Amino acid sequence: AQSVSQHNHHVILSEAASLELGCNYSYGGTVNLFWYVQYPGQHLQLLLKYFSGDPLVKGIKGFEAEFIKSKFSFNLRKPSVQWSDTAEYFCAVNKGNQGGKLIFGQGTELSVKP
Amino acid sequence: EAGVTQSPTHLIKTRGQQATLRCSPISGHTSVYWYQQALGLGLQFLLWYDEGEERNRGNFPPRFSGRQFPNYSSELNVNALELEDSALYLCASSSSEGTRETQYFGPGTRLLVL
């Protein structure tokens, strides 16, 4: 069965620090990959997505992610975090040739200290 | 453009009762997904409706059911409520662009079972 693993459950950073959140999935076929963010008191919002093509994907608010097929990974990065990036981040996957249900990682809570 | 809307925002029920949760997708979207976000369990796929048909269901008992109406809105019904059904129930919609669909989430209904 497909699964998604986010290695970091809680990350604490100071403002201006660089961010990398890990995401690995277990599915050998083609995949669609997503990062969603849930700010405190708000609903899940799409940060970025990958379907095919350039494995380096840019999203909103300065976030980017790199798809490395050989490592089954889709890590999220941001060169310099802000206090307003404090949120929970979810990696999600579905099958590239089917779409449909998303399999989510457990989420990573990011706390940015001002 | 209005996003995905869900009602009610909060729902309090007692064990054994039934709960009905509602979702209106983004205009033009024909697919509706339901997810459960329970404490400690992350986001779990519940049900997927497209064009009025149930396309897939997650690993949940049959007392979780739903339907999609001709206007693509959807209802999730949970019968014989149990304490562990307490969770945030999220609805997402997508435009069914074949396999390259993006799911957009609503704010959720928080269900508390006493």
Side-chain angles (χ1 to χ4, degrees), chain B residues 5-56:
Chain B
T5 60
Q6 293 186 244
S7 63
T9 54
H10 292 81
L11 192 56
I12 300 175
K13 295 284 186 179
T14 55
R15 281 178 59 190
Q17 285 189 312
Q18 182 203 30
T20 298
L21 289 63
R22 295 180 177 83
C23 171
S24 291
I26 291 170
S27 177
H29 285 190
T30 60
S31 269
V32 169
Y33 296 82
W34 288 95
Y35 294 86
Q36 183 196 65
Q37 189 176 20
L39 208 58
L41 294 178
L43 279 146
Q44 306 285 324
F45 166 73
L46 260 168
L47 289 159
W48 171 22
Y49 292 95
D50 181 54
E51 299 282 358
E53 301 284 330
E54 182 181 301
R55 299 297 184 189
N56 199 357

Side-chain angles (χ1 to χ4, degrees), chain A residues 13 15 17 19 21-22 71 92 105 107:
Chain A
L13 295 173
E15 275 193 316
L19 170 72
L21 301 182
K71 294 185 178 180

Side-chain angles (χ1 to χ4, degrees), chain B residues 6-111:
Chain B
Q6 293 186 244
S7 63
T9 54
H10 292 81
L11 192 56
I12 300 175
K13 295 284 186 179
T14 55
R15 281 178 59 190
Q17 285 189 312
Q18 182 203 30
T20 298
L21 289 63
R22 295 180 177 83
C23 171
S24 291
I26 291 170
S27 177
H29 285 190
T30 60
S31 269
V32 169
Y33 296 82
W34 288 95
Y35 294 86
Q36 183 196 65
Q37 189 176 20
L39 208 58
L41 294 178
L43 279 146
Q44 306 285 324
F45 166 73
L46 260 168
L47 289 159
W48 171 22
Y49 292 95
D50 181 54
E51 299 282 358
E53 301 284 330
E54 182 181 301
R55 299 297 184 189
N56 199 357
R57 69 178 290 128
N59 190 25
F60 282 84
R63 56 192 187 81
F64 286 85
S65 65
R67 53 180 170 166
Q68 187 178 32
F69 300 99
N71 67 353
Y72 304 115
S73 67
S74 177
E75 213 172 70
L76 173 68
N77 295 293
V78 189
N79 293 320
L81 284 164
E82 300 180 3
L83 296 178
E84 53 265 33
D85 297 332
S86 294
L88 181 66
Y89 289 83
L90 296 176
C91 171
S93 73
S94 75
S95 59
S96 291
E97 305 159 27
T99 61
R100 293 192 172 203
E101 57 166 26
T102 301
Q103 294 179 31
Y104 296 91
F105 285 81
T109 292
R110 190 165 293 281
L111 172 64

